[in-house]
Amino acid sequence: MTKDEDLQMDKTLDTAAAEGAVYFIFGATGDLARRKLFPALYSLYREGKLGDRFAIVGLARRPRTDEQFRDDVHESIREFCRYKPAEGGEWAAFAERFSYHPLDISNVDGMRQLSETTQELERRYEIPGNRLFYLALAPDLFGTVSRTLRDGGMLNSPGWHRLVIEKPFGYDYPSAERLNEEIRQVFREEEVFRIDHYLGKEMVQNIEMIRFANAFFEPLWNAGHIANVQITLAETVGVEERGAYYNKSGALRDMVQNHMLQMLTMIAMEPPSRLDPEDIRDEKVKVLRSIRTFSSPEEVRARVIRGQYAEGSSKGKPLPGYRQEESVPADSATETFFAARMFVDNFRWAGVPFYVRTGKRLPVKSTEIVVEFKNAPRNVLFARKQELQPNLLVIRVNPMEGIYIKINAKRPGNEMTIQPVVMEYCQSCLVGINTPEAYERLIFDAGRGDSTYFTRWDELAAAWQLVDPIAAAWRNNESELHFYPAGTWGPEQADALLREDGFRWWPVNGEEEDNVVWVTNSKPQ
Ligand SMILES: NC(=O)C1=CN([C@@H]2O[C@H](COP(=O)(O)OP(=O)(O)OC[C@H]3O[C@@H](n4cnc5c(N)ncnc54)[C@H](OP(=O)(O)O)[C@@H]3O)[C@@H](O)[C@H]2O)C=CC1
Ligand SMILES: O=C1O[C@H](COP(=O)(O)O)[C@@H](O)[C@H](O)[C@H]1O
C-alpha cells in the first residue's frame, strides 16, 4: 500500500466514526442481539469506532422500558463482551444512547412513530440521517420489515440507509430468490449487507494477505503444485435447544452453503485487480460458478457423505444421539455431519480436490484450512526409502488463530534422515484471544459502507444452486445417512473419501504426529 492509500484508509476509518448513524436492532430481545450484537457495539464504542454521533434503537414486540432495555444490554455485555462494562458515569454515557421501541414489524403506524422519535435522536446527537437497520429476525420477516420501513417513512431521511440481514437467506434457491425480490423492491443491492460471520473472522480475512503478500505462496498456488485442499469446521456442541431451526436446516444449509463455500472461494479465487469490494466479490462468484455441480444422485453418492451423531461420549461424559435430543423428532434424517470432495473446474485448479467437512459433536472445536502441496521429486531420498511427508500450509481460523507451515528438514546427526518440522505463527498466543469478534468487524464495515466481507446476491444464488441438488438427492433417499458416535470424527466413509484418492485428513488443532518438531511462539492448545 502506498503512503497515500494508507492515509486514505485512515481517513475511511475516521469518516465512519465521525459521520455518525442510528443503528436499529430489530429482534432486540432475541438471542443474537444478546450474545453477539450488543457486545459488538460496546467493543466498537470502547475502541472509539462508533464516534460521538450515534444512537442505538432496540425493537421487538414485547414491552420494555428504556431502563429495562439498558439493564438487558448491561447484562449481555457483562456476560459476552470482551470488554467488561465500565462503571458509573462512563457506562451511563454509553447506555443513554440506547432506547427501546416496542413494535410489531408489520405495523406501519408504529413505524411512523419510530420515524418521529428517530428524528429527535438525530437532532440530539447531530446525526445526519444515516440509518442502519440490522434484522436479527426470522428471515420470513425480512420482506415485511423492508416494506414497513419504506411505508412508515423510515427511508426518507437525508443520509444513507443500509439493511444488514442474517442468515439463513432462504431455504433453497427459489425461496432465496423470492426473498431477494421482496427486499429489492425496497433496497438497492448496494444497500443490502448479507452477513456470513465467517467472513468477519480475522483469519478468513487474512487468507488474502497470506496468498497475495507472500512471494513464495502465490507462484505455487495452482494445480501444478497443490495436491489438495482440506477445509474442516468441527464443533463439539450438539444441536441442544436449536432443534426447531436446525432440524430443517442440517449441516448442508447451516454451514456448507455459506461458511464452508465462502472459505473455499477465498482460497480459490483469482487475485482481484483492485482491492475494491466489487472486484473481490466478482472473483469469488467466478469460483462458485466454477465448482463442479452435483448433477446426478450418483454424483452425490460418490462425492458427498452425510452423517448424524448417535449416542457417544466426550472426555468420559456420555452424550445423547441427535434423535434423543429434546428438540428433535425421534426419526429425524437431518444430517449433523457433511463431507464432500469438490472440484473447481478452472485453469488454476484443474483436478485438485477440495475436501470440506463439518459436523456437530466432533472431538474438538476447530476450524482449519490445510493446503497440501505436491511432493518434491523423490530422487535421492527415495533411494534411501524414507517417507517424505508433504509440505502443508495450515490456516487456523477458529478458536485458535494463526498459520503454520510444515516442511522437511534434516535430522541433526550423521545420517541423511528427514525430520518433519512445523513452524507456527500462533497469532492468538501473541495478541491474546481478545481480538475483535467477527460481528464487530462486520457492523463496523456496514457502518462505513464497506461490503467486501458481505455476501452479494449472485454469490448466494450460485451457492444455493450448488447445494440444492445435494439436498434433493437426500430428500429422495438416494444416498445413505451414516451414523457416528458423538465425540468422534464422523462416519468412516468420510475418511474413505480421501483414501480413494490416496490422501487422508490431516489432524487439526495442533494434534500433529509425534515425530514432528514444532517451532512456535507458543505450544498449540
Ligand atoms: N442466535 C444466533 O446465534 C444466530 C442467529 N442467526 C439468525 O439471526 C436471526 C435472529 O436469531 P435469534 O436472535 O436467535 O432469534 P430469537 O428467536 O432469539 O429472536 C427473534 C427476535 O425477533 C423478535 N420478533 C419476532 N417476531 C417479531 C415481530 N413480528 N415484530 C417485531 N419483532 C419480532 C423477537 O422479539 P419479540 O418476541 O419480543 O417480538 C426476538 O427479539 C435469525 O435469522 C437467525 O437465523 C444467525 C446466526 C447465529
Ligand atoms: O452460523 C453458525 O455458526 C456456528 C459456528 O460458528 P463459530 O463461529 O462458533 O465457529 C454454528 O454453531 C451454528 O450452527 C451456525 O448456525
Side-chain angles (χ1 to χ4, degrees), residues 27-32 35 60-62 103-105 136-137 139 141 166-168:
T29 53
D31 179 69
L32 183 71
R35 286 193 309 110
R61 287 167 305 183
R62 73 196 77 163
L103 178 75
D104 185 313
I105 53 95
L137 296 167
L141 301 176
E166 268 298 339
K167 70 170 255 267

mmCIF file with all atom_site columns, all heavy atoms in Angstrom, residues 27-32 35 60-62 103-105 136-137 139 141 166-168, ligand 1:
data_model
loop_
_atom_site.group_PDB
_atom_site.id
_atom_site.type_symbol
_atom_site.label_atom_id
_atom_site.label_alt_id
_atom_site.label_comp_id
_atom_site.label_asym_id
_atom_site.label_entity_id
_atom_site.label_seq_id
_atom_site.pdbx_PDB_ins_code
_atom_site.Cartn_x
_atom_site.Cartn_y
_atom_site.Cartn_z
_atom_site.occupancy
_atom_site.B_iso_or_equiv
_atom_site.pdbx_formal_charge
_atom_site.auth_seq_id
_atom_site.auth_comp_id
_atom_site.auth_asym_id
_atom_site.auth_atom_id
_atom_site.pdbx_PDB_model_num
ATOM   1   N N   . GLY A 1 27  ? -35.364 -7.228  16.561 1.00 0.00 ? 27  GLY A N   1
ATOM   2   C CA  . GLY A 1 27  ? -35.105 -8.509  17.241 1.00 0.00 ? 27  GLY A CA  1
ATOM   3   C C   . GLY A 1 27  ? -34.215 -8.283  18.451 1.00 0.00 ? 27  GLY A C   1
ATOM   4   O O   . GLY A 1 27  ? -33.389 -9.128  18.807 1.00 0.00 ? 27  GLY A O   1
ATOM   5   N N   . ALA A 1 28  ? -34.421 -7.110  19.107 1.00 0.00 ? 28  ALA A N   1
ATOM   6   C CA  . ALA A 1 28  ? -33.519 -6.698  20.188 1.00 0.00 ? 28  ALA A CA  1
ATOM   7   C C   . ALA A 1 28  ? -33.703 -7.509  21.464 1.00 0.00 ? 28  ALA A C   1
ATOM   8   O O   . ALA A 1 28  ? -32.885 -7.407  22.379 1.00 0.00 ? 28  ALA A O   1
ATOM   9   C CB  . ALA A 1 28  ? -33.729 -5.222  20.482 1.00 0.00 ? 28  ALA A CB  1
ATOM   10  N N   . THR A 1 29  ? -34.789 -8.297  21.541 1.00 0.00 ? 29  THR A N   1
ATOM   11  C CA  . THR A 1 29  ? -34.956 -9.121  22.743 1.00 0.00 ? 29  THR A CA  1
ATOM   12  C C   . THR A 1 29  ? -34.479 -10.552 22.478 1.00 0.00 ? 29  THR A C   1
ATOM   13  O O   . THR A 1 29  ? -34.658 -11.437 23.306 1.00 0.00 ? 29  THR A O   1
ATOM   14  C CB  . THR A 1 29  ? -36.439 -9.150  23.179 1.00 0.00 ? 29  THR A CB  1
ATOM   15  O OG1 . THR A 1 29  ? -37.222 -9.558  22.041 1.00 0.00 ? 29  THR A OG1 1
ATOM   16  C CG2 . THR A 1 29  ? -36.914 -7.792  23.643 1.00 0.00 ? 29  THR A CG2 1
ATOM   17  N N   . GLY A 1 30  ? -33.900 -10.781 21.327 1.00 0.00 ? 30  GLY A N   1
ATOM   18  C CA  . GLY A 1 30  ? -33.560 -12.151 20.923 1.00 0.00 ? 30  GLY A CA  1
ATOM   19  C C   . GLY A 1 30  ? -32.147 -12.561 21.302 1.00 0.00 ? 30  GLY A C   1
ATOM   20  O O   . GLY A 1 30  ? -31.345 -11.781 21.846 1.00 0.00 ? 30  GLY A O   1
ATOM   21  N N   . ASP A 1 31  ? -31.858 -13.808 20.954 1.00 0.00 ? 31  ASP A N   1
ATOM   22  C CA  . ASP A 1 31  ? -30.594 -14.444 21.330 1.00 0.00 ? 31  ASP A CA  1
ATOM   23  C C   . ASP A 1 31  ? -29.385 -13.800 20.632 1.00 0.00 ? 31  ASP A C   1
ATOM   24  O O   . ASP A 1 31  ? -28.346 -13.562 21.251 1.00 0.00 ? 31  ASP A O   1
ATOM   25  C CB  . ASP A 1 31  ? -30.708 -15.935 20.945 1.00 0.00 ? 31  ASP A CB  1
ATOM   26  C CG  . ASP A 1 31  ? -29.464 -16.695 21.265 1.00 0.00 ? 31  ASP A CG  1
ATOM   27  O OD1 . ASP A 1 31  ? -29.193 -16.877 22.463 1.00 0.00 ? 31  ASP A OD1 1
ATOM   28  O OD2 . ASP A 1 31  ? -28.744 -17.089 20.322 1.00 0.00 ? 31  ASP A OD2 1
ATOM   29  N N   . LEU A 1 32  ? -29.521 -13.532 19.345 1.00 0.00 ? 32  LEU A N   1
ATOM   30  C CA  . LEU A 1 32  ? -28.381 -12.985 18.599 1.00 0.00 ? 32  LEU A CA  1
ATOM   31  C C   . LEU A 1 32  ? -27.995 -11.607 19.131 1.00 0.00 ? 32  LEU A C   1
ATOM   32  O O   . LEU A 1 32  ? -26.814 -11.298 19.315 1.00 0.00 ? 32  LEU A O   1
ATOM   33  C CB  . LEU A 1 32  ? -28.722 -12.898 17.103 1.00 0.00 ? 32  LEU A CB  1
ATOM   34  C CG  . LEU A 1 32  ? -27.576 -12.405 16.228 1.00 0.00 ? 32  LEU A CG  1
ATOM   35  C CD1 . LEU A 1 32  ? -26.486 -13.456 16.128 1.00 0.00 ? 32  LEU A CD1 1
ATOM   36  C CD2 . LEU A 1 32  ? -28.058 -12.020 14.841 1.00 0.00 ? 32  LEU A CD2 1
ATOM   37  N N   . ARG A 1 35  ? -26.284 -12.148 22.583 1.00 0.00 ? 35  ARG A N   1
ATOM   38  C CA  . ARG A 1 35  ? -24.973 -12.811 22.639 1.00 0.00 ? 35  ARG A CA  1
ATOM   39  C C   . ARG A 1 35  ? -23.926 -12.134 21.770 1.00 0.00 ? 35  ARG A C   1
ATOM   40  O O   . ARG A 1 35  ? -22.738 -12.216 22.038 1.00 0.00 ? 35  ARG A O   1
ATOM   41  C CB  . ARG A 1 35  ? -25.104 -14.291 22.268 1.00 0.00 ? 35  ARG A CB  1
ATOM   42  C CG  . ARG A 1 35  ? -25.743 -15.112 23.380 1.00 0.00 ? 35  ARG A CG  1
ATOM   43  C CD  . ARG A 1 35  ? -25.617 -16.590 23.192 1.00 0.00 ? 35  ARG A CD  1
ATOM   44  N NE  . ARG A 1 35  ? -26.044 -17.026 21.891 1.00 0.00 ? 35  ARG A NE  1
ATOM   45  C CZ  . ARG A 1 35  ? -25.235 -17.483 20.954 1.00 0.00 ? 35  ARG A CZ  1
ATOM   46  N NH1 . ARG A 1 35  ? -23.949 -17.585 21.188 1.00 0.00 ? 35  ARG A NH1 1
ATOM   47  N NH2 . ARG A 1 35  ? -25.719 -17.878 19.797 1.00 0.00 ? 35  ARG A NH2 1
ATOM   48  N N   . ALA A 1 60  ? -38.613 -4.767  19.210 1.00 0.00 ? 60  ALA A N   1
ATOM   49  C CA  . ALA A 1 60  ? -39.225 -6.103  19.252 1.00 0.00 ? 60  ALA A CA  1
ATOM   50  C C   . ALA A 1 60  ? -40.643 -5.897  19.778 1.00 0.00 ? 60  ALA A C   1
ATOM   51  O O   . ALA A 1 60  ? -41.008 -4.768  20.140 1.00 0.00 ? 60  ALA A O   1
ATOM   52  C CB  . ALA A 1 60  ? -38.428 -7.043  20.147 1.00 0.00 ? 60  ALA A CB  1
ATOM   53  N N   . ARG A 1 61  ? -41.422 -6.987  19.813 1.00 0.00 ? 61  ARG A N   1
ATOM   54  C CA  . ARG A 1 61  ? -42.817 -6.789  20.217 1.00 0.00 ? 61  ARG A CA  1
ATOM   55  C C   . ARG A 1 61  ? -42.990 -6.649  21.728 1.00 0.00 ? 61  ARG A C   1
ATOM   56  O O   . ARG A 1 61  ? -43.821 -5.895  22.199 1.00 0.00 ? 61  ARG A O   1
ATOM   57  C CB  . ARG A 1 61  ? -43.671 -7.976  19.744 1.00 0.00 ? 61  ARG A CB  1
ATOM   58  C CG  . ARG A 1 61  ? -43.914 -7.982  18.251 1.00 0.00 ? 61  ARG A CG  1
ATOM   59  C CD  . ARG A 1 61  ? -44.476 -9.303  17.823 1.00 0.00 ? 61  ARG A CD  1
ATOM   60  N NE  . ARG A 1 61  ? -43.591 -10.380 18.251 1.00 0.00 ? 61  ARG A NE  1
ATOM   61  C CZ  . ARG A 1 61  ? -43.782 -11.664 17.980 1.00 0.00 ? 61  ARG A CZ  1
ATOM   62  N NH1 . ARG A 1 61  ? -44.844 -12.036 17.306 1.00 0.00 ? 61  ARG A NH1 1
ATOM   63  N NH2 . ARG A 1 61  ? -42.929 -12.580 18.397 1.00 0.00 ? 61  ARG A NH2 1
ATOM   64  N N   . ARG A 1 62  ? -42.209 -7.412  22.490 1.00 0.00 ? 62  ARG A N   1
ATOM   65  C CA  . ARG A 1 62  ? -42.534 -7.432  23.923 1.00 0.00 ? 62  ARG A CA  1
ATOM   66  C C   . ARG A 1 62  ? -42.216 -6.093  24.592 1.00 0.00 ? 62  ARG A C   1
ATOM   67  O O   . ARG A 1 62  ? -41.282 -5.406  24.161 1.00 0.00 ? 62  ARG A O   1
ATOM   68  C CB  . ARG A 1 62  ? -41.860 -8.612  24.617 1.00 0.00 ? 62  ARG A CB  1
ATOM   69  C CG  . ARG A 1 62  ? -40.404 -8.531  24.825 1.00 0.00 ? 62  ARG A CG  1
ATOM   70  C CD  . ARG A 1 62  ? -39.834 -9.897  25.158 1.00 0.00 ? 62  ARG A CD  1
ATOM   71  N NE  . ARG A 1 62  ? -39.704 -10.745 23.972 1.00 0.00 ? 62  ARG A NE  1
ATOM   72  C CZ  . ARG A 1 62  ? -38.960 -11.840 23.911 1.00 0.00 ? 62  ARG A CZ  1
ATOM   73  N NH1 . ARG A 1 62  ? -38.329 -12.257 24.980 1.00 0.00 ? 62  ARG A NH1 1
ATOM   74  N NH2 . ARG A 1 62  ? -38.863 -12.531 22.798 1.00 0.00 ? 62  ARG A NH2 1
ATOM   75  N N   . LEU A 1 103 ? -42.506 -2.727  19.037 1.00 0.00 ? 103 LEU A N   1
ATOM   76  C CA  . LEU A 1 103 ? -43.088 -2.616  17.697 1.00 0.00 ? 103 LEU A CA  1
ATOM   77  C C   . LEU A 1 103 ? -43.236 -3.990  17.063 1.00 0.00 ? 103 LEU A C   1
ATOM   78  O O   . LEU A 1 103 ? -42.302 -4.799  17.083 1.00 0.00 ? 103 LEU A O   1
ATOM   79  C CB  . LEU A 1 103 ? -42.131 -1.776  16.826 1.00 0.00 ? 103 LEU A CB  1
ATOM   80  C CG  . LEU A 1 103 ? -42.503 -1.574  15.371 1.00 0.00 ? 103 LEU A CG  1
ATOM   81  C CD1 . LEU A 1 103 ? -43.634 -0.575  15.248 1.00 0.00 ? 103 LEU A CD1 1
ATOM   82  C CD2 . LEU A 1 103 ? -41.303 -1.074  14.566 1.00 0.00 ? 103 LEU A CD2 1
ATOM   83  N N   . ASP A 1 104 ? -44.434 -4.232  16.492 1.00 0.00 ? 104 ASP A N   1
ATOM   84  C CA  . ASP A 1 104 ? -44.564 -5.388  15.607 1.00 0.00 ? 104 ASP A CA  1
ATOM   85  C C   . ASP A 1 104 ? -44.143 -4.894  14.225 1.00 0.00 ? 104 ASP A C   1
ATOM   86  O O   . ASP A 1 104 ? -44.657 -3.883  13.742 1.00 0.00 ? 104 ASP A O   1
ATOM   87  C CB  . ASP A 1 104 ? -46.022 -5.867  15.588 1.00 0.00 ? 104 ASP A CB  1
ATOM   88  C CG  . ASP A 1 104 ? -46.164 -7.130  14.776 1.00 0.00 ? 104 ASP A CG  1
ATOM   89  O OD1 . ASP A 1 104 ? -45.617 -7.201  13.635 1.00 0.00 ? 104 ASP A OD1 1
ATOM   90  O OD2 . ASP A 1 104 ? -46.793 -8.061  15.269 1.00 0.00 ? 104 ASP A OD2 1
ATOM   91  N N   . ILE A 1 105 ? -43.246 -5.596  13.602 1.00 0.00 ? 105 ILE A N   1
ATOM   92  C CA  . ILE A 1 105 ? -42.648 -5.033  12.387 1.00 0.00 ? 105 ILE A CA  1
ATOM   93  C C   . ILE A 1 105 ? -43.641 -4.872  11.224 1.00 0.00 ? 105 ILE A C   1
ATOM   94  O O   . ILE A 1 105 ? -43.330 -4.225  10.240 1.00 0.00 ? 105 ILE A O   1
ATOM   95  C CB  . ILE A 1 105 ? -41.410 -5.837  11.919 1.00 0.00 ? 105 ILE A CB  1
ATOM   96  C CG1 . ILE A 1 105 ? -41.730 -7.317  11.763 1.00 0.00 ? 105 ILE A CG1 1
ATOM   97  C CG2 . ILE A 1 105 ? -40.243 -5.658  12.830 1.00 0.00 ? 105 ILE A CG2 1
ATOM   98  C CD1 . ILE A 1 105 ? -42.082 -7.674  10.386 1.00 0.00 ? 105 ILE A CD1 1
ATOM   99  N N   . ALA A 1 136 ? -32.150 -8.804  13.089 1.00 0.00 ? 136 ALA A N   1
ATOM   100 C CA  . ALA A 1 136 ? -31.893 -10.043 13.853 1.00 0.00 ? 136 ALA A CA  1
ATOM   101 C C   . ALA A 1 136 ? -33.246 -10.724 14.061 1.00 0.00 ? 136 ALA A C   1
ATOM   102 O O   . ALA A 1 136 ? -33.699 -10.905 15.195 1.00 0.00 ? 136 ALA A O   1
ATOM   103 C CB  . ALA A 1 136 ? -31.211 -9.712  15.174 1.00 0.00 ? 136 ALA A CB  1
ATOM   104 N N   . LEU A 1 137 ? -33.867 -11.052 12.964 1.00 0.00 ? 137 LEU A N   1
ATOM   105 C CA  . LEU A 1 137 ? -35.237 -11.572 12.939 1.00 0.00 ? 137 LEU A CA  1
ATOM   106 C C   . LEU A 1 137 ? -35.265 -12.846 12.117 1.00 0.00 ? 137 LEU A C   1
ATOM   107 O O   . LEU A 1 137 ? -34.379 -13.069 11.293 1.00 0.00 ? 137 LEU A O   1
ATOM   108 C CB  . LEU A 1 137 ? -36.159 -10.594 12.199 1.00 0.00 ? 137 LEU A CB  1
ATOM   109 C CG  . LEU A 1 137 ? -36.387 -9.206  12.786 1.00 0.00 ? 137 LEU A CG  1
ATOM   110 C CD1 . LEU A 1 137 ? -37.053 -8.336  11.737 1.00 0.00 ? 137 LEU A CD1 1
ATOM   111 C CD2 . LEU A 1 137 ? -37.259 -9.299  14.032 1.00 0.00 ? 137 LEU A CD2 1
ATOM   112 N N   . PRO A 1 139 ? -35.991 -14.972 9.000  1.00 0.00 ? 139 PRO A N   1
ATOM   113 C CA  . PRO A 1 139 ? -35.923 -14.482 7.621  1.00 0.00 ? 139 PRO A CA  1
ATOM   114 C C   . PRO A 1 139 ? -37.288 -14.254 6.969  1.00 0.00 ? 139 PRO A C   1
ATOM   115 O O   . PRO A 1 139 ? -37.405 -13.401 6.094  1.00 0.00 ? 139 PRO A O   1
ATOM   116 C CB  . PRO A 1 139 ? -35.176 -15.595 6.885  1.00 0.00 ? 139 PRO A CB  1
ATOM   117 C CG  . PRO A 1 139 ? -34.439 -16.319 7.940  1.00 0.00 ? 139 PRO A CG  1
ATOM   118 C CD  . PRO A 1 139 ? -35.211 -16.186 9.205  1.00 0.00 ? 139 PRO A CD  1
ATOM   119 N N   . LEU A 1 141 ? -39.529 -12.614 7.979  1.00 0.00 ? 141 LEU A N   1
ATOM   120 C CA  . LEU A 1 141 ? -39.981 -11.247 8.287  1.00 0.00 ? 141 LEU A CA  1
ATOM   121 C C   . LEU A 1 141 ? -39.212 -10.185 7.489  1.00 0.00 ? 141 LEU A C   1
ATOM   122 O O   . LEU A 1 141 ? -39.562 -9.007  7.527  1.00 0.00 ? 141 LEU A O   1
ATOM   123 C CB  . LEU A 1 141 ? -39.833 -10.967 9.788  1.00 0.00 ? 141 LEU A CB  1
ATOM   124 C CG  . LEU A 1 141 ? -40.605 -11.901 10.736 1.00 0.00 ? 141 LEU A CG  1
ATOM   125 C CD1 . LEU A 1 141 ? -40.287 -11.583 12.189 1.00 0.00 ? 141 LEU A CD1 1
ATOM   126 C CD2 . LEU A 1 141 ? -42.109 -11.794 10.495 1.00 0.00 ? 141 LEU A CD2 1
ATOM   127 N N   . GLU A 1 166 ? -29.355 -11.307 8.420  1.00 0.00 ? 166 GLU A N   1
ATOM   128 C CA  . GLU A 1 166 ? -28.727 -12.508 8.957  1.00 0.00 ? 166 GLU A CA  1
ATOM   129 C C   . GLU A 1 166 ? -29.004 -13.702 8.062  1.00 0.00 ? 166 GLU A C   1
ATOM   130 O O   . GLU A 1 166 ? -29.908 -13.695 7.236  1.00 0.00 ? 166 GLU A O   1
ATOM   131 C CB  . GLU A 1 166 ? -29.307 -12.781 10.350 1.00 0.00 ? 166 GLU A CB  1
ATOM   132 C CG  . GLU A 1 166 ? -28.514 -12.152 11.464 1.00 0.00 ? 166 GLU A CG  1
ATOM   133 C CD  . GLU A 1 166 ? -27.093 -12.695 11.543 1.00 0.00 ? 166 GLU A CD  1
ATOM   134 O OE1 . GLU A 1 166 ? -26.832 -13.793 11.019 1.00 0.00 ? 166 GLU A OE1 1
ATOM   135 O OE2 . GLU A 1 166 ? -26.235 -12.014 12.120 1.00 0.00 ? 166 GLU A OE2 1
ATOM   136 N N   . LYS A 1 167 ? -28.237 -14.724 8.260  1.00 0.00 ? 167 LYS A N   1
ATOM   137 C CA  . LYS A 1 167 ? -28.550 -15.985 7.621  1.00 0.00 ? 167 LYS A CA  1
ATOM   138 C C   . LYS A 1 167 ? -29.599 -16.722 8.445  1.00 0.00 ? 167 LYS A C   1
ATOM   139 O O   . LYS A 1 167 ? -29.726 -16.397 9.630  1.00 0.00 ? 167 LYS A O   1
ATOM   140 C CB  . LYS A 1 167 ? -27.289 -16.831 7.464  1.00 0.00 ? 167 LYS A CB  1
ATOM   141 C CG  . LYS A 1 167 ? -26.715 -17.384 8.778  1.00 0.00 ? 167 LYS A CG  1
ATOM   142 C CD  . LYS A 1 167 ? -25.648 -18.376 8.516  1.00 0.00 ? 167 LYS A CD  1
ATOM   143 C CE  . LYS A 1 167 ? -26.112 -19.771 8.746  1.00 0.00 ? 167 LYS A CE  1
ATOM   144 N NZ  . LYS A 1 167 ? -25.852 -20.300 10.086 1.00 0.00 ? 167 LYS A NZ  1
ATOM   145 N N   . PRO A 1 168 ? -30.334 -17.688 7.991  1.00 0.00 ? 168 PRO A N   1
ATOM   146 C CA  . PRO A 1 168 ? -30.235 -18.213 6.643  1.00 0.00 ? 168 PRO A CA  1
ATOM   147 C C   . PRO A 1 168 ? -31.014 -17.339 5.646  1.00 0.00 ? 168 PRO A C   1
ATOM   148 O O   . PRO A 1 168 ? -32.110 -16.896 5.958  1.00 0.00 ? 168 PRO A O   1
ATOM   149 C CB  . PRO A 1 168 ? -30.904 -19.576 6.770  1.00 0.00 ? 168 PRO A CB  1
ATOM   150 C CG  . PRO A 1 168 ? -31.890 -19.418 7.882  1.00 0.00 ? 168 PRO A CG  1
ATOM   151 C CD  . PRO A 1 168 ? -31.314 -18.410 8.815  1.00 0.00 ? 168 PRO A CD  1
HETATM 152 N N1  . LIG B 2 .   ? -28.695 -16.726 17.623 1.00 0.00 ? 1   LIG B N1  1
HETATM 153 C C1  . LIG B 2 .   ? -27.627 -16.912 16.882 1.00 0.00 ? 1   LIG B C1  1
HETATM 154 O O1  . LIG B 2 .   ? -26.527 -17.225 17.347 1.00 0.00 ? 1   LIG B O1  1
HETATM 155 C C2  . LIG B 2 .   ? -27.709 -16.744 15.405 1.00 0.00 ? 1   LIG B C2  1
HETATM 156 C C3  . LIG B 2 .   ? -28.861 -16.265 14.807 1.00 0.00 ? 1   LIG B C3  1
HETATM 157 N N2  . LIG B 2 .   ? -28.893 -16.083 13.456 1.00 0.00 ? 1   LIG B N2  1
HETATM 158 C C4  . LIG B 2 .   ? -30.095 -15.550 12.810 1.00 0.00 ? 1   LIG B C4  1
HETATM 159 O O2  . LIG B 2 .   ? -30.457 -14.318 13.429 1.00 0.00 ? 1   LIG B O2  1
HETATM 160 C C5  . LIG B 2 .   ? -31.850 -14.146 13.421 1.00 0.00 ? 1   LIG B C5  1
HETATM 161 C C6  . LIG B 2 .   ? -32.355 -13.979 14.844 1.00 0.00 ? 1   LIG B C6  1
HETATM 162 O O3  . LIG B 2 .   ? -32.000 -15.106 15.593 1.00 0.00 ? 1   LIG B O3  1
HETATM 163 P P1  . LIG B 2 .   ? -32.202 -15.214 17.157 1.00 0.00 ? 1   LIG B P1  1
HETATM 164 O O4  . LIG B 2 .   ? -31.842 -13.949 17.832 1.00 0.00 ? 1   LIG B O4  1
HETATM 165 O O5  . LIG B 2 .   ? -31.511 -16.444 17.571 1.00 0.00 ? 1   LIG B O5  1
HETATM 166 O O6  . LIG B 2 .   ? -33.782 -15.439 17.268 1.00 0.00 ? 1   LIG B O6  1
HETATM 167 P P2  . LIG B 2 .   ? -34.722 -15.248 18.536 1.00 0.00 ? 1   LIG B P2  1
HETATM 168 O O7  . LIG B 2 .   ? -35.911 -16.101 18.292 1.00 0.00 ? 1   LIG B O7  1
HETATM 169 O O8  . LIG B 2 .   ? -33.982 -15.388 19.790 1.00 0.00 ? 1   LIG B O8  1
HETATM 170 O O9  . LIG B 2 .   ? -35.180 -13.716 18.423 1.00 0.00 ? 1   LIG B O9  1
HETATM 171 C C7  . LIG B 2 .   ? -36.106 -13.253 17.481 1.00 0.00 ? 1   LIG B C7  1
HETATM 172 C C8  . LIG B 2 .   ? -36.396 -11.798 17.740 1.00 0.00 ? 1   LIG B C8  1
HETATM 173 O O10 . LIG B 2 .   ? -37.377 -11.359 16.813 1.00 0.00 ? 1   LIG B O10 1
HETATM 174 C C9  . LIG B 2 .   ? -38.375 -10.610 17.514 1.00 0.00 ? 1   LIG B C9  1
HETATM 175 N N3  . LIG B 2 .   ? -39.606 -10.709 16.731 1.00 0.00 ? 1   LIG B N3  1
HETATM 176 C C10 . LIG B 2 .   ? -40.245 -11.834 16.315 1.00 0.00 ? 1   LIG B C10 1
HETATM 177 N N4  . LIG B 2 .   ? -41.353 -11.517 15.621 1.00 0.00 ? 1   LIG B N4  1
HETATM 178 C C11 . LIG B 2 .   ? -41.413 -10.162 15.583 1.00 0.00 ? 1   LIG B C11 1
HETATM 179 C C12 . LIG B 2 .   ? -42.318 -9.231  15.011 1.00 0.00 ? 1   LIG B C12 1
HETATM 180 N N5  . LIG B 2 .   ? -43.395 -9.632  14.331 1.00 0.00 ? 1   LIG B N5  1
HETATM 181 N N6  . LIG B 2 .   ? -42.097 -7.925  15.180 1.00 0.00 ? 1   LIG B N6  1
HETATM 182 C C13 . LIG B 2 .   ? -41.002 -7.495  15.877 1.00 0.00 ? 1   LIG B C13 1
HETATM 183 N N7  . LIG B 2 .   ? -40.109 -8.329  16.420 1.00 0.00 ? 1   LIG B N7  1
HETATM 184 C C14 . LIG B 2 .   ? -40.305 -9.644  16.293 1.00 0.00 ? 1   LIG B C14 1
HETATM 185 C C15 . LIG B 2 .   ? -38.440 -11.304 18.858 1.00 0.00 ? 1   LIG B C15 1
HETATM 186 O O11 . LIG B 2 .   ? -38.915 -10.479 19.864 1.00 0.00 ? 1   LIG B O11 1
HETATM 187 P P3  . LIG B 2 .   ? -40.440 -10.426 20.398 1.00 0.00 ? 1   LIG B P3  1
HETATM 188 O O12 . LIG B 2 .   ? -40.862 -11.837 20.593 1.00 0.00 ? 1   LIG B O12 1
HETATM 189 O O13 . LIG B 2 .   ? -40.326 -9.628  21.644 1.00 0.00 ? 1   LIG B O13 1
HETATM 190 O O14 . LIG B 2 .   ? -41.197 -9.739  19.348 1.00 0.00 ? 1   LIG B O14 1
HETATM 191 C C16 . LIG B 2 .   ? -36.958 -11.527 19.121 1.00 0.00 ? 1   LIG B C16 1
HETATM 192 O O15 . LIG B 2 .   ? -36.370 -10.340 19.618 1.00 0.00 ? 1   LIG B O15 1
HETATM 193 C C17 . LIG B 2 .   ? -32.405 -15.388 12.709 1.00 0.00 ? 1   LIG B C17 1
HETATM 194 O O16 . LIG B 2 .   ? -32.481 -15.100 11.345 1.00 0.00 ? 1   LIG B O16 1
HETATM 195 C C18 . LIG B 2 .   ? -31.310 -16.428 12.939 1.00 0.00 ? 1   LIG B C18 1
HETATM 196 O O17 . LIG B 2 .   ? -31.323 -17.422 11.966 1.00 0.00 ? 1   LIG B O17 1
HETATM 197 C C19 . LIG B 2 .   ? -27.790 -16.321 12.679 1.00 0.00 ? 1   LIG B C19 1
HETATM 198 C C20 . LIG B 2 .   ? -26.627 -16.793 13.218 1.00 0.00 ? 1   LIG B C20 1
HETATM 199 C C21 . LIG B 2 .   ? -26.495 -17.062 14.624 1.00 0.00 ? 1   LIG B C21 1
#
